[in-house]
Amino acid sequence: MIYPVVEMRGDLVLVGAKSVPMGNAMAQFQMPVGDIQLRIDGNKAWTVAAINTPSLAPEGNSKEIGAQKVANSASPSPYLDPKAMAEMTQNMMSTYRSGMSPITATSGDTAKDILRQMATGRTILFRQVNGNAAGKTFEYSLETFNSAMAACAS
């Protein structure tokens, strides 16, 4: 099950979907969300790809360190550029991380456009999209959204 999420991370506004935590008090986990489509009322549907979700990890985290470590440990070869190896490793790690993330979100102008629609809308629909197959549709009322946003702003 997924639910809508609006978050502020510093100056970054995120709008998307998050999976519901599962498990028990000893071990909780969240399933990856993957790609989603969302629609507010009769407006056009937005597709948000997991791979485009902004990194939610703090700067200088282990992803950069790990990519550099792999590049540095590669045996010297006239056919292997360490910088290209580090970039390729970074891209692979980012792709893996986004595919396993319990949140799929967009930011920037797209997030702001979705927020504007949410502020005047009545219903938001979400569904997970896996290739050409669409999953179950989740519907949520936006009735309390404006009051919740006002509470966050104060």
Side-chain angles (χ1 to χ4, degrees):
M1 177 149 189
I2 61 173
Y3 60 93
V5 64
V6 175
E7 289 187 15
M8 288 287 299
R9 301 274 178 117
D11 292 338
L12 187 67
V13 177
L14 297 171
V15 178
K18 197 171 193 175
S19 64
V20 173
M22 299 186 305
N24 56 37
M26 297 295 287
Q28 284 207 344
F29 62 95
Q30 289 177 272
M31 296 296 292
V33 172
D35 296 347
I36 60 167
Q37 286 183 329
L38 62 98
R39 182 169 52 91
I40 293 98
D41 298 335
N43 295 306
K44 75 170 186 144
W46 301 88
T47 300
V48 181
I51 190 92
N52 296 330
T53 299
S55 174
L56 304 178
E59 289 298 317
N61 67 7
S62 62
K63 70 178 181 163
E64 288 86 7
I65 296 166
Q68 193 58 48
K69 199 180 265 189
V70 169
N72 290 342
S73 67
S75 60
S77 166
Y79 305 107
L80 183 63
D81 177 14
K83 186 177 178 182
M85 181 67 174
E87 185 177 323
M88 180 185 73
T89 305
Q90 174 85 19
N91 289 340
M92 288 187 319
M93 292 169 76
S94 177
T95 301
Y96 174 77
R97 209 174 26 262
S98 66
M100 297 306 293
S101 176
I103 183 171
T104 295
T106 187
S107 62
D109 290 339
T110 303
K112 291 174 187 172
D113 289 344
I114 294 170
L115 276 175
R116 278 191 277 281
Q117 287 184 7
M118 289 174 72
T120 59
R122 292 180 304 157
T123 305
I124 186 167
L125 300 165
F126 278 92
R127 68 178 176 179
Q128 291 169 295
V129 181
N130 204 357
N132 291 333
K136 178 183 176 196
T137 299
F138 300 95
E139 183 174 331
Y140 299 95
S141 171
L142 292 170
E143 188 175 309
T144 58
F145 180 71
N146 284 331
S147 59
M149 289 296 287
C152 286
S154 57

